[in-house]
Amino acid sequence: MAAATHLLTPEESHAEPHQEAVVVRFAGDSGDGMQLTGGQFTLSTALAGNDLATFPDFPAEIRAPQGTTFGVSAFQINFGSTAIETAGDQPDVLIAMNPAALKVNVAALREGGLIIADEGEFSQRNLAKAGYDANPLEDESLAKWQLVKFNISQLTMDAVKPFGLGNKEALRCKNMWTLGLALWMFDRSREPIVDWLKTKFAKAPQLAEANIAALNAGHAYGETVEMGAAVKPRHIAAAPAEPGLYRTVTGAEALGLGLVAGAQLAHLPMFFGSYPITPASPLLHHLSRLKEYDITTFQAEDEIAAICAALGASYAGSLGVTSSSGPGIALKTEAIGLAVMTELPLVIVNSQRGGPSTGLPTKTEQSDLYQAVYGRNGDAPLPVIAARSPSDAFDCAIEACRIATRYMTPVMLLTDGYIANAAEPWRVPDMSGYEAFPVTFANGEAPRADDGKLLPYARDERLARPWIKPGTPGLTHRIGGIEKNPGTGDLDYSPGAHAEMTRLRHQKVLGISADIPDQDVCLGEPGAALAVVGWGSTFGPIHQAVRRMRARGADVAHVHIRHIWPLPANLGELLHGFGRVIVPEMNAGQLKTVLRDQYLVDARSLTKVSGQPFRIAEIEGAIAEALEGTAPGNLRSDSTQLPEGDSGHDDGSNVREGLAR
């Protein structure tokens, strides 16, 4: 889920929002182009100056059977004239392109919300595919919502008829017809979309003109046809913003730019070795277009080859980077251990998805925290950083590069599927404000023993070993995965050598806590009655829920952790100052366990493992229960909640868990 990084002031946190925001969800078959439609509507919304957050939600199947519920693709956008922290709890408008899209998404629509349906797709065959016994557009089952229906399919075919397209090609333009109607509804300009279509179909001008005709036809339909009071143009004013250059950015784009910036600040070429996997693949796509910044991208034959190539590049003097999702990170584990053992810099990006195994390829979770912190054989510590939003991924990538090169260590950078695919406005930073961290390679003055022998595993004040490029005269040394002598690097698996090297690697990583900022309180005051502690993409719903509860007088604060391992030096003292601590996570309580282990703090879990992000209301409810003390050992919400030791299930889709003592 995308979450804007706007931090509210105390004054804002005590004021109910008075500015407008609207949530729109486009939903249709996975071949209807809903992601493209949502993306172009996002572009027009950004150009209109609104703040926004998006939520792409698509099936795992490459092409599910047309018209089925498991083939539904949706794109939700929350936009407005105020700061937007989440993609919205409930849509105000649902545009449903077929019965399956309606069935899957209508329950999420707020009561009284608007449904715009393509009645041309509500045939008996399509109704049966979606599991409807009767046509919901005619049987009053949608009475609690406002329903507007018209034959978008036929209207699209009429609009593109002059271009001589076949029925199949003509119907592919109906997403543009729908986009035209949405642009009219929210007072958006068509010009950027027209320019984009001309560029996209530069080699097929007939298709460009057909899509433009469909776009204009949808817009004209809104202007000329009386569809009732429910469908009328609405202008959403621009959101306040600091002066500067802005662009809409997805998490994958921001991450790619941040890695490039990190390599530039380290004065290093970058090598990116990767293997395609959802939702990590877009990072490879974006970086492959940035070769002018001394970036080499390599699509390997498998996950192991990808990370080994990246580690080899680090050995050779480049900044090695690799990426994957949970299953691929599992395959990379032995090579990650090799990076720990050889003490070479390496950035490992994990775009998390639901697991285990193949799990939920296109849905999100935060369930790889244990894997990131602990998931290797032997004592193999490495730093772990988590981005909280698409734009925050830029700074997190730079921080990962800084720590990797300064401490000669692999670093795990955690994002997730929603951060990777979602978009939000991003103020392009002035890079002159970033401090460079240039790398110094070992030369003839490398550390040596009294007898003149090279010491490739001698330590500096950070316990980092020297970075020695292969081929440097006089600095030949042994490297590999077998345990080494603490100084010479010679093979040495004696008890003393292993114990000392294990201690040094552990202390090096723990020492990073002195080189990262103290943990702050995002909203609220230290020592509040309740702290809501989060990490990663839960930032948006937590921040908004805390803001709303503080506006009602609740003594609650929001703490969001970027540095997962090692944890900030002041975090334990900060957490012990709060009356109670709850930890919302899209997993079964992993950060909660880490916090309890490290600080013996009575943290309680609020977990959700449905593949969907938290709703603001779920966290609000948990805050209210925690402050009221109505369920001291067991907080419940609409999400998945399960007390420790309880493996019971509700309805098969939601596992109930509580805040275990």
Side-chain angles (χ1 to χ4, degrees):
M1 169 180 249
T5 57
H6 172 81
L7 294 182
L8 296 165
T9 65
E11 292 76 18
E12 288 176 312
S13 72
H14 286 89
E16 289 292 342
H18 61 277
Q19 294 146 312
E20 288 187 292
V22 177
V23 181
V24 178
R25 183 179 294 185
F26 300 91
D29 192 76
S30 56
D32 285 338
M34 293 296 95
Q35 302 305 316
L36 186 147
T37 302
Q40 291 305 305
F41 188 79
T42 298
L43 172 63
S44 67
T45 299
L47 291 172
N50 297 130
D51 198 7
L52 61 95
T54 68
F55 171 18
D57 190 17
F58 43 87
E61 291 81 3
I62 294 174
R63 187 67 176 90
Q66 191 170 4
T68 58
T69 54
F70 53 89
V72 171
S73 176
F75 187 103
Q76 182 166 307
I77 176 172
N78 183 10
F79 60 98
S81 57
T82 185
I84 301 296
E85 283 89 26
T86 78
D89 273 15
Q90 295 178 294
D92 301 296
V93 179
L94 171 63
I95 300 175
M97 305 300 286
N98 63 9
L102 179 67
K103 185 162 191 176
V104 169
N105 291 281
V106 71
L109 187 66
R110 68 167 176 81
E111 189 169 346
L114 172 64
I115 300 171
I116 297 176
D118 179 7
E119 64 178 349
E121 290 292 320
F122 280 69
S123 64
Q124 285 301 316
R125 184 167 182 265
N126 284 344
L127 289 167
K129 283 184 179 181
Y132 280 115
D133 296 325
N135 191 338
L137 304 184
E138 300 172 353
D139 66 1
E140 300 300 319
S141 62
L142 305 176
K144 67 178 180 179
W145 297 289
Q146 302 176 76
L147 173 63
V148 175
K149 55 184 180 179
F150 39 85
N151 195 331
I152 295 176
S153 297
Q154 186 60 53
L155 290 166
T156 301
M157 293 178 69
D158 293 343
V160 303
K161 187 175 181 180
F163 301 95
L165 302 182
N167 285 354
K168 187 175 182 180
E169 286 183 311
L171 286 173
R172 286 176 179 168
C173 299
K174 69 178 181 178
N175 63 330
M176 287 296 108
W177 194 101
T178 305
L179 178 58
L181 179 65
L183 294 176
W184 170 80
M185 288 176 62
F186 296 103
D187 193 22
R188 300 280 182 263
S189 171
R190 283 166 286 165
E191 184 177 353
I193 314 302
V194 171
D195 292 341
W196 173 79
L197 285 168
K198 289 180 178 178
T199 301
K200 179 178 177 63
F201 295 110
K203 296 182 179 180
Q206 184 183 29
L207 292 179
E209 293 303 320
N211 278 280
I212 292 169
L215 181 79
N216 291 334
H219 195 279
Y221 191 88
E223 288 180 319
T224 58
V225 176
E226 182 60 52
M227 290 178 282
V231 184
K232 57 185 178 181
R234 180 177 179 183
H235 178 75
I236 306 294
E242 296 180 19
L245 174 64
Y246 286 81
R247 60 166 288 183
T248 299
V249 69
T250 66
E253 291 169 336
L255 186 56
L257 293 171
L259 289 169
V260 171
Q264 295 284 307
L265 290 169
H267 298 177
L268 291 172
M270 188 178 89
F271 178 94
F272 182 79
S274 186
Y275 181 75
I277 185 172
T278 302
S281 298
L283 181 56
L284 173 61
H285 303 160
H286 294 306
L287 284 172
S288 67
R289 296 192 287 265
L290 299 173
K291 295 178 182 178
E292 65 269 27
Y293 296 103
D294 206 3
I295 307 299
T296 300
T297 55
F298 171 56
Q299 180 176 315
E301 64 269 29
D302 56 44
E303 296 283 6
I304 298 171
I307 187 173
C308 287
L311 185 57
S314 289
Y315 171 60
S318 294
L319 176 59
V321 183
T322 190
S323 78
S324 191
S325 187
I329 297 297
L331 292 169
K332 296 178 189 288
T333 297
E334 183 180 1
I336 295 173
L338 179 60
V340 172
M341 177 62 79
T342 57
E343 299 188 55
L344 288 169
L346 181 70
V347 176
I348 306 142
V349 180
N350 182 353
S351 298
Q352 300 168 94
R353 71 189 206 188
S357 187
T358 307
L360 309 175
T362 61
K363 310 301 179 183
T364 204
E365 279 184 5
Q366 295 177 299
S367 50
D368 293 350
L369 185 144
Y370 284 163
Q371 182 187 44
V373 176
Y374 305 120
R376 290 160 296 283
N377 66 295
D379 285 300
L382 56 77
V384 181
I385 301 170
R388 70 187 185 191
S389 72
S391 58
D392 186 53
F394 178 82
D395 286 320
C396 286
I398 293 175
E399 176 71 344
C401 295
R402 183 187 74 88
I403 291 175
T405 55
R406 180 169 288 185
Y407 289 87
M408 294 293 288
T409 180
V411 177
M412 184 82 75
L413 173 54
L414 296 175
T415 70
D416 61 41
Y418 293 117
I419 288 178
N421 294 316
E424 67 180 9
W426 177 51
R427 185 185 180 193
V428 179
D430 179 1
M431 293 307 298
S432 65
Y434 287 77
E435 182 179 355
F437 40 89
V439 165
T440 301
F441 290 99
N443 52 31
E445 298 178 0
R448 294 184 181 275
D450 292 341
D451 60 2
K453 186 171 184 178
L454 177 68
L455 298 176
Y457 283 84
R459 310 281 170 172
D460 64 11
E461 67 280 3
R462 301 186 186 95
L463 298 182
R465 80 174 187 93
W467 194 351
I468 302 175
K469 280 188 179 182
T472 305
L475 300 188
T476 303
H477 64 287
R478 185 181 294 277
I479 194 163
I482 299 179
E483 189 59 278
K484 297 162 181 59
N485 181 274
T488 66
D490 293 339
L491 299 187
D492 188 346
Y493 31 83
S494 65
H498 179 58
E500 178 64 5
M501 288 295 271
T502 300
R503 183 190 70 81
L504 287 169
R505 290 188 291 261
H506 183 67
Q507 288 301 120
K508 178 175 72 170
V509 171
L510 290 183
I512 296 171
S513 62
D515 195 21
I516 60 177
D518 279 351
Q519 181 62 51
D520 63 351
V521 179
C522 299
L523 183 59
E525 304 298 331
L530 176 68
V532 185
V533 180
W535 68 280
S537 63
T538 57
F539 177 87
I542 293 175
H543 202 65
Q544 185 74 323
V546 170
R547 187 199 73 81
R548 292 181 182 180
M549 294 302 291
R550 284 177 58 79
R552 299 171 196 159
D555 186 16
V556 60
H558 176 197
V559 175
H560 216 76
I561 302 173
R562 169 183 282 183
H563 291 273
I564 304 296
W565 194 263
L567 293 160
N570 70 322
L571 182 59
E573 181 180 357
L574 181 68
L575 293 181
H576 278 289
F578 294 106
R580 302 184 71 182
V581 174
I582 63 174
V583 186
E585 300 180 77
M586 291 185 291
N587 60 42
Q590 297 184 17
L591 179 64
K592 174 267 299 180
T593 302
V594 172
L595 295 179
R596 286 185 174 194
D597 169 61
Q598 293 297 301
Y599 304 122
L600 299 180
V601 64
D602 187 19
R604 314 283 182 89
S605 285
L606 175 69
T607 74
K608 185 167 186 174
V609 288
S610 62
Q612 298 293 314
F614 275 105
R615 293 188 296 114
I616 299 167
E618 292 170 339
I619 298 176
E620 282 186 276
I623 292 171
E625 286 192 43
L627 289 173
E628 292 167 4
T630 55
N634 193 25
L635 287 187
R636 292 188 178 274
S637 76
D638 294 341
S639 58
T640 72
Q641 300 231 354
L642 178 87
E644 289 182 355
D646 185 341
S647 59
H649 289 261
D650 270 346
D651 58 4
S653 62
N654 287 334
V655 183
R656 292 203 175 269
E657 56 80 26
L659 301 193
R661 289 184 180 276

